[in-house]
Amino acid sequence: MIDNLCDQARTDDIAVAGIYCDFWGQAEQSTLNILGAILKQLVGEREIPEHVLQAFQKTKRESGSRGLRVPDLTRMLKTAIALIPRVFICIDALDEVHPKHLSKLLTSLQDIIRESPNTRVFLTGRAHIIGEIKENLPGVVVVPVSSTEGDIETYLKMRLGQDPKPDAMDSDLRADILKLIPEKCSPM
Amino acid sequence: MAQESSRGLEGYSDTVNISPKIDVRGPFLQWLSPLEPRRRHQELQSSRIDGVGSRFLETAEFRKWSGGGDRSDPAVLFYGGDLGTGKSYLK
């Protein structure tokens, strides 16, 4: 998805940021770190607004540590987004973010979208978090993963194409593999 | 004495203006977040097969979301499904 959007982003008019979440990284994947990683990518090679850098130096000086808070970061994100015509934010496996961070993250995203209509957000996850997403992001459009049969067939064909001894398999076996495995993998 | 040192600095004003930006950028980005999603992205890129998830990319929902940028188009898209259904591998 990120590459697909980046292919469109041939100019400076579009910026794409993407985050992958997973259970193993929950401790690190706080709202703060996720929003920070989004900003980090949006800024990319672009020039960092002077007042954002000043805010950074001030906070660092005052607190002596990271001292960054979610509202500060949300504000910085809005400032950065306002300078870019179109922004895409992708977050993969949102259901694997720790529940205590999820609603805060969604609230920040809603805040950003409301103020910056040039923002597009793409989220993936398992269906059980749909309720929470709808509650926090009322305009969300839900697209269920409808079928993976086509994808499994694509994968099998690729693997069969790599078979070091293709002559050892007759066409019936090949046809059976391409028919039965996708069937067995499909949800009942 | 004070006058002398301020005059001395004037000569270097260009350097003084430029160097903080160079010095600050790296620490600033690190301060924003320790997460490095690029690494995971590269792993997925190398194991991805062309054409996976293409059905989703042809849906009207995706086209509207990624397309025009009209205010009436949806700003948020949620692609929901079970583990192992290829959500991370969409291209």
Side-chain angles (χ1 to χ4, degrees), chain A residues 124-136:
Chain A
T124 79
R126 280 174 295 161
H128 67 268
I129 56 164
I130 286 180
E132 190 160 3
I133 292 180
K134 281 185 174 166
E135 203 176 296
N136 289 285

Side-chain angles (χ1 to χ4, degrees), chain A residues 16-160:
Chain A
V16 183
I19 303 291
Y20 299 92
C21 303
D22 65 90
F23 286 120
W24 306 108
Q26 272 191 349
E28 247 200 334
Q29 288 155 5
S30 61
T31 312
L32 201 61
N33 285 352
I34 292 174
L35 292 174
I38 293 169
L39 181 57
K40 201 155 86 163
Q41 292 175 68
L42 292 181
V43 169
E45 297 301 309
R46 288 162 203 266
E47 197 172 331
I48 302 167
E50 195 57 41
H51 66 276
V52 171
L53 283 180
Q54 277 167 10
F56 157 58
Q57 283 167 317
K58 186 168 171 275
T59 315
K60 219 180 165 191
R61 213 170 32 238
E62 282 171 2
S63 63
S65 65
R66 195 158 165 229
L68 191 59
R69 295 176 315 125
V70 171
D72 301 331
L73 203 43
T74 308
R75 216 170 17 248
M76 286 159 82
L77 265 168
K78 288 183 199 166
T79 311
I81 288 172
L83 300 171
I84 311 168
R86 299 193 69 202
V87 169
F88 290 93
I89 298 171
C90 307
I91 307 179
D92 184 51
L94 204 56
D95 56 301
E96 300 192 28
V97 171
H98 194 284
K100 75 175 176 191
H101 294 301
L102 183 59
S103 69
K104 255 201 258 176
L105 179 61
L106 294 173
T107 309
S108 284
L109 288 174
Q110 173 62 15
D111 195 10
I112 291 165
I113 295 161
R114 202 176 40 233
E115 266 190 48
S116 320
N118 56 332
T119 313
R120 290 287 181 270
V121 177
F122 179 71
L123 308 169
T124 79
R126 280 174 295 161
H128 67 268
I129 56 164
I130 286 180
E132 190 160 3
I133 292 180
K134 281 185 174 166
E135 203 176 296
N136 289 285
L137 299 167
V140 65
V141 170
V142 175
V143 182
V145 180
S146 55
S147 165
T148 52
E149 271 186 45
D151 290 341
I152 292 166
E153 200 182 320
T154 305
Y155 178 75
L156 289 173
K157 279 183 180 159
M158 186 276 290
R159 292 300 298 267
L160 289 170

Side-chain angles (χ1 to χ4, degrees), chain B residues 9-64:
Chain B
L9 275 176
E10 266 170 33
Y12 295 98
S13 62
D14 283 348
T15 329
V16 170
N17 285 338
I18 292 166
S19 63
K21 280 188 189 171
I22 297 165
D23 291 338
V24 157
R25 191 178 179 92
F28 169 70
L29 295 177
Q30 187 57 37
W31 174 70
L32 283 181
S33 176
L35 300 180
E36 297 288 350
R38 184 166 291 273
R39 215 170 296 155
R40 173 80 177 128
H41 184 66
Q42 284 165 347
E43 280 169 26
L44 291 171
Q45 244 176 353
S46 60
S47 57
R48 185 176 62 205
I49 302 158
D50 282 348
V52 163
S54 55
R55 235 180 266 186
F56 166 72
L57 301 175
E58 286 157 14
T59 60
E61 287 91 345
F62 174 74
R63 283 167 189 262
K64 281 188 101 177

